[in-house]
Amino acid sequence: MIGFFPKLYKDETLYSWLARYHIRSNNSSYKSTLSDLFMKDTIVAITDFPCNLQTLCTEIGDMYKPRYLINQHTPLPYYSPFIKRGNYEKIIDLMESTNKNRVYAVLGLPAGNVPYPRHLRYCATCFIEDVNQYGEPYWHRIHQIPGVHICPHHLEILSESSVLSKRTVSNQKFHALSESINSPIHRNNLYSDKENEVLEVVALNSLKLLQEEINPIGLPNLRNYYISKLHDKELMTATSRIKFQELLPRFINFYGKNTLKLFGSNLNIDDKDTWLHRLLRKPKSSCHPIRHILFNTFLGDDIFSYKNINIKTPYYQPFGDSPFPCLNRASEHFLKDVISTVNITICSSTKQPVGTFKCNCGFVFSRRGPDLSKEDRYKVGSVKQFGEVWLEKVEELYNDGLNYSEIARQLKSNRATIKKYLFNENQKMKQHSNDYKHKSYKAKWSNLIVRNPDLSRTKLREQLPSVYMWLYRNDREWLLTNMPPKQKGCNKDINKVSWETRDYELAKKIELEAESLKKINNDGIVRVTVRSIGRELGVISMLENEIEKLPECKLMLAKVTETLKDFQLRRIKFRAKNLRDMGIEITPSKLIRNSALSTKIDGDILNSIEEEIYTPKN
């Protein structure tokens, strides 16, 4: 254990503290100093994140605790708000217990980021004040922070020493400021007024980060905080998409390109993947604190805003917080907050947000936002889908005897909508019925074939005629696939038809049938035609389609069939005889009407009518 050890000065780096001890120890080599401090001489002198601090604290008699040294005399508080939560404790553990310098890897800062100072720096005025107060100068923690170019206490440009940063050259030497600088040098301020203004803001905010010791906020929470601020600046769309095409020019104009170069944070308007994009997109890695300071300043806030970030800092929410109420009047949870999410799109005409809410009951509705009052939360703009619960309620009310208008009034809908959905449900029921019939008929037909494997198609059809016809009309393809094969004729020796014999025999039948038709003396008088003869003989198709094979029949038909005029003359005589038999006086109009003659009557018909009028009664 070391018997004497100097006290730490305010905001002094641990590197500076150990360098002052080396001077007081009168050790002949730095390795001896390392052995005193860390019980081994292989430790590397590190300016920012030294490790093996638990051993150091033990060797100096627990004069300080490791966590105190880390929070008050290393740059970790500067980084801690912007790193992943789990990594903070890992870094503490690395600095307390190990001698492996892996802190920067755990910090998660990308390579090639904000440049680290190549040399240790000091403020000339601080140098003089420290000598006056403590009798010696020392390395200040705030002066070594990347991106800090001026002293936040005196607003003076920092001067560089000849001592290289231990992040650039690895060695075991501790260089005290008193040994490195004999007389402090005041640097001239060559920056513009605008650049100086930004340099001051960055330096002061960096100092506050070191002093406030803000715990890790969490990368998602940081992003949510920034998104909410961008909404305030109207740099977000209603669907929470960042307007980078507007943000980049405004951000660059706010600082100026030369100022951004001072912090290694150059931006180009046309770039699609800048550090600013990575800062605001879903976080995958940490971003350097200097860039958080720059962006937060652009938003109009300072470091203290990070202390007040609510862990649940929300996005811009045009429809308020979830859960949202279900507005389905047919549901048991009507007006209850049961909808967990809302899908936000943009109205093409007004460019306002449109929220679509989908409930588990199947009810889907939307409205145009943003909601400006509590009452807006319970408004429906349009219904996208009613759902099964609503449809069941409509059917229930309809079955209870309510008409369309009464149902619409209860469900705050309109009559046409109720009518449409009830009609659709009826159609579905019919379709369901048809589906059931289809399935049932197919089963019946299949069973019939299984039970009667030897029956022909005709015989099967005779067994289930209605089933056959329904399947033939509605599923012909299936029916034909599930029919037995056609049976070929078994009698191949059937005599061919003798058309000559058939012609002779049929001609006689035609003559007799024609005479028979003319002898009908009831009210059903029939004109003798090819069809009337064929109908009585059952040979209509033959007389119409095969007449060229039946020359005798053709001649006989020409002989016995009546023209329309012949038939009218015969009918006049027939009707006149009926009137005379009934003792009714025959007049022209009465005979024309009873004979069903048209108004256009030729001379032969008129002569026949006159003859019948003047024919004496028997």
Side-chain angles (χ1 to χ4, degrees), residues 1-2 36-39 54-62:
M1 182 182 294
I2 300 173
D36 291 345
L37 299 174
F38 300 103
M39 300 293 291
Q54 183 60 60
T55 301
L56 172 64
C57 290
T58 300
E59 291 304 308
I60 63 175
D62 292 325

Side-chain angles (χ1 to χ4, degrees), residues 325-343:
C326 174
L327 303 182
N328 180 6
R329 291 180 175 272
S331 173
E332 293 180 354
H333 52 246
F334 174 56
L335 296 182
K336 293 182 180 179
D337 292 335
V338 294
I339 301 176
S340 58
T341 59
V342 56
N343 181 41

